[in-house]
Amino acid sequence: MNTRKPIAAALALAGYIIMLVPILFVVATAFTSGSTLRFPPEGFSLGWFDAALNYAPFTSALLTSLQLAVASTFLALAVGVPATLAIYRGALPGKGLVEGLFLSPLIIPELVVGLALYQQLIVTFRIENWPVLLLGHTALLLPYAVRVTGAALASSDVSLEEAARGLGASPLRAFFTITLPILRPGIFSAALLGFVTSFNNVPLSLLLQSRESRTLPITMLDYVQQSYDPMIAATSTLILAATVVIAVIAERTVGFAKIFGGINR
Amino acid sequence: MNRRGSAALLLLPGLAFLVFGFLAPAMGILFAAPGTDAGEIFTRLGAMLTDPYDLRIIGRTVGLGLIVTLVCLTLGFPIAYILARSTSRWAGVLLALAIFPLLLSNVVRTFGWLVILGSNGALAQLLVSLGVTDTPPQLLYTPFAIVMGLTQLFLPLAIIACYSAVSQVDAGLDDAARGLGASRRRTFWDIVVPLSLPGLVVAATLVFAGSVTAYTTPYLLGGSRQRMLSTELYSYSSVTVDWASASATAIVMTILVVLVSGISARLGRRGATA
């Protein structure tokens, strides 16, 4: 876009090609009427979409993934938002340490967390897969909940709440009329980020899943190992379409540069 | 109730989740894998650091991680720089297009490379028809495939980190340097790059940590030929059920990430005071 910086422009173009072209190839091959995952596609057909939507392992895994993503996002916010309030508004000794503790799941590799939960809770204590999966995903999303809602709280003025209290509002009233509206965009961002993170997660779910609780990304990985057909491209395209809808909603409401800005501080 | 008490009460559920759902099991990896004791894990860990097979996997993981980091910074910084300095209304669209893939499943993003790099894939066909090679080259299950896949995954993170860093460098400084007679290149290397160094460090850390722990990409694009720590960890724990090796691999992986995060935090602090 700027011809006076030819090297930078060429590198930028290469970057966009690597980021986006593979996605275009997935979409293009999903519409093939042929039976292999190859490019250029042979003819046009919606048959593979039909096959994907009627393939029971995918549909049941989709349900599992949606349930898990909604439940873990809800739980992470339910325990994370009060913790955020305590960290950023409470008179807390060792505030930095507590915040660090809540961010710690970001540092340990997810595959390692998955292994730990598998060894300790599933193998040793014989806990069912589903609750452990939920526990793991919730722990994974906690840093997002705390950091993203914390960013919204940190950028607001604490004196607003003090003023409300000074004017005679009860703590509960001050919370619902002042603090909660301040937190709302942060909670929305955290919920969206949490949902997407849980829904797409592979490393953490990999060891924790069972036949009854297998998530969609993992079912797709398993499927590719057995057969290499365009149904995987069709499924991916459907996920892509849903993700575009989420992205548009995110962009319209909070702006997703801002959403991701919160987590990468 | 006093404020300290209510703060503690608000923290309690989250702390309970972290301790029982994360910290306690994570500690267990070091000391209490099922049917294994700490001694066994540490013996295996020691053996790993001398065994040629294990060393090759550690080397490949670190090496590819470094290459991906370098590629992501080389491609990501120019994108961030152009977008941050552009006044075009397309800049917003291009930024959104760069960040959007972060919402999309790694599995979906990585599948595209199977179509492109497969044995009869688009790239092989292109190379043959251009006369570069006579037979379709093996592209899948190579280090090249892994580097491409990981670059695709982590470039958006590099762009965001670099973008916020470049945005914070006053564009007036560019103009001032140019006004004082510095060439475009000199302005870039002497003004823009040093001032956005903290962002580059963040970007490098995110990409490296992501690359050495990613599972989907090495699994799909590296296969059994290009094993990395992540795919080894999975096969130790679910194929061979070798808990000591799984734990030892997990420890190596964690140390790598913690080490790099520590170094970058230190570099960041130095950058801030310089």
Side-chain angles (χ1 to χ4, degrees):
Chain A
M1 64 192 279
N2 192 336
T3 49
R4 287 181 305 172
K5 300 189 194 83
I7 299 172
L11 290 172
L13 182 67
Y16 273 98
I17 289 174
I18 293 176
M19 279 191 290
L20 301 174
V21 166
I23 300 174
L24 297 179
F25 272 82
V26 171
V27 176
T29 45
F31 291 95
T32 185
S33 55
S35 58
T36 54
L37 203 60
R38 62 154 49 207
F39 193 87
E42 311 152 43
F44 176 87
S45 156
L46 294 177
W48 290 109
F49 287 96
D50 193 45
L53 290 170
N54 288 305
Y55 183 63
F58 282 176
T59 47
S60 74
L62 172 67
L63 202 65
T64 304
S65 281
L66 288 175
Q67 285 168 343
L68 183 61
V70 170
S72 57
T73 301
F74 180 81
L75 263 177
L77 285 170
V79 300
V81 172
T84 312
L85 286 169
I87 294 170
Y88 291 88
R89 287 289 192 264
L92 206 65
K95 197 173 288 192
L97 188 72
V98 176
E99 196 188 5
L101 207 58
F102 273 89
L103 298 181
S104 61
L106 283 179
I107 298 169
I108 310 295
E110 287 174 41
L111 208 59
V112 174
V113 179
L115 175 69
L117 294 178
Y118 182 52
Q119 284 183 348
Q120 304 307 316
L121 302 182
I122 295 180
V123 177
T124 306
F125 287 106
R126 308 242 162 239
I127 300 176
E128 294 284 316
N129 292 71
W130 169 258
V132 178
L133 209 49
L134 183 59
L135 189 70
H137 276 232
T138 305
L140 178 71
L141 302 189
L142 262 176
Y144 292 75
V146 170
R147 189 165 256 197
V148 177
T149 51
L153 208 55
S155 62
S156 75
D157 194 347
V158 80
S159 57
L160 284 174
E161 288 143 67
E162 282 160 4
R165 293 295 307 280
L167 291 167
S170 67
L172 221 56
R173 177 120 192 250
F175 175 77
F176 281 105
T177 52
I178 309 288
T179 316
L180 198 61
I182 293 172
L183 277 174
R184 201 172 289 140
I187 290 178
F188 180 79
S189 302
L192 191 111
L193 211 54
F195 178 86
V196 169
T197 304
S198 165
F199 185 82
N200 291 333
N201 184 277
V202 169
L204 186 61
S205 316
L206 199 64
L207 291 165
L208 303 180
Q209 48 134 3
S210 67
R211 201 179 294 278
E212 295 75 34
S213 56
R214 185 159 295 165
T215 63
L216 187 60
I218 289 177
T219 311
M220 289 168 75
L221 283 179
D222 282 350
Y223 185 85
V224 175
Q225 225 183 16
Q226 298 147 19
S227 52
Y228 203 59
D229 66 36
M231 194 161 88
I232 214 74
T235 313
S236 298
T237 304
L238 292 172
I239 295 177
L240 174 73
T243 308
V244 170
V245 173
I246 291 178
V248 170
I249 295 172
E251 183 61 30
R252 288 279 158 84
T253 46
V254 191
F256 56 55
K258 214 174 158 190
I259 296 179
F260 285 106
I263 197 68
N264 286 321
R265 270 191 309 156
Chain B
M1 195 178 349
N2 63 15
R3 286 189 69 188
R4 190 167 287 188
S6 61
L9 208 64
L10 289 171
L11 273 178
L12 209 61
L15 281 179
F17 249 89
L18 277 176
V19 171
F20 295 110
F22 174 71
L23 292 169
M27 288 293 116
I29 264 198
L30 290 174
F31 306 111
T36 322
D37 58 45
E40 217 172 316
I41 296 170
F42 285 106
T43 307
R44 182 68 185 91
L45 189 61
M48 243 178 131
L49 300 175
T50 49
D51 183 83
Y53 174 81
D54 293 320
L55 281 178
R56 200 156 56 234
I57 288 172
I58 297 174
R60 179 182 292 131
T61 306
V62 174
L64 291 181
L66 290 173
I67 293 173
V68 172
T69 306
L70 199 66
V71 174
C72 281
L73 291 183
T74 311
L75 301 178
F77 194 79
I79 293 177
Y81 178 61
I82 291 174
L83 294 182
R85 288 288 185 261
S86 169
T87 48
S88 158
R89 63 194 187 87
W90 287 102
V93 177
L94 284 172
L95 185 63
L97 220 52
I99 301 177
F100 161 74
L102 285 177
L103 292 172
L104 187 61
S105 164
N106 289 359
V107 176
V108 173
R109 285 195 272 164
T110 307
F111 278 145
W113 292 108
L114 294 179
V115 185
I116 296 175
L117 301 175
S119 52
N120 274 308
L123 190 57
Q125 286 177 41
L126 182 75
L127 291 175
V128 171
S129 65
L130 286 176
V132 180
T133 59
D134 296 330
T135 50
Q138 172 69 40
L139 297 168
L140 212 53
Y141 313 127
T142 61
F144 169 76
I146 298 179
V147 169
M148 293 309 272
L150 290 176
T151 301
Q152 182 199 17
L153 289 192
F154 297 116
L155 190 50
L157 284 181
I159 294 173
I160 299 182
C162 293
Y163 181 84
S164 62
V166 177
S167 306
Q168 279 160 21
V169 178
D170 189 350
L173 287 175
D174 297 23
D175 297 339
R178 299 274 294 142
L180 291 169
S183 68
R184 212 168 271 287
R185 180 165 302 172
R186 178 116 194 255
T187 307
F188 180 78
W189 287 109
D190 288 357
I191 305 289
V192 182
V193 172
L195 287 176
S196 36
L197 213 54
L200 279 163
V201 171
V202 172
T205 316
L206 289 173
V207 174
F208 183 80
S211 298
V212 299
T213 59
Y215 175 80
T216 309
T217 305
Y219 171 78
L220 282 175
L221 305 179
S224 54
R225 283 197 223 177
Q226 302 293 330
R227 295 206 165 223
M228 294 191 26
L229 284 173
S230 57
T231 46
E232 279 300 278
L233 192 157
Y234 179 70
S235 78
Y236 282 137
S237 39
S238 77
V239 184
T240 53
V241 198
D242 174 356
W243 293 123
S245 296
S247 285
T249 310
I251 292 167
V252 172
M253 215 156 134
T254 310
I255 289 174
L256 266 178
V257 172
V258 170
L259 207 63
V260 165
S261 308
I263 292 172
S264 97
R266 187 160 272 227
L267 280 177
R269 214 171 301 137
R270 190 179 301 163
T273 51

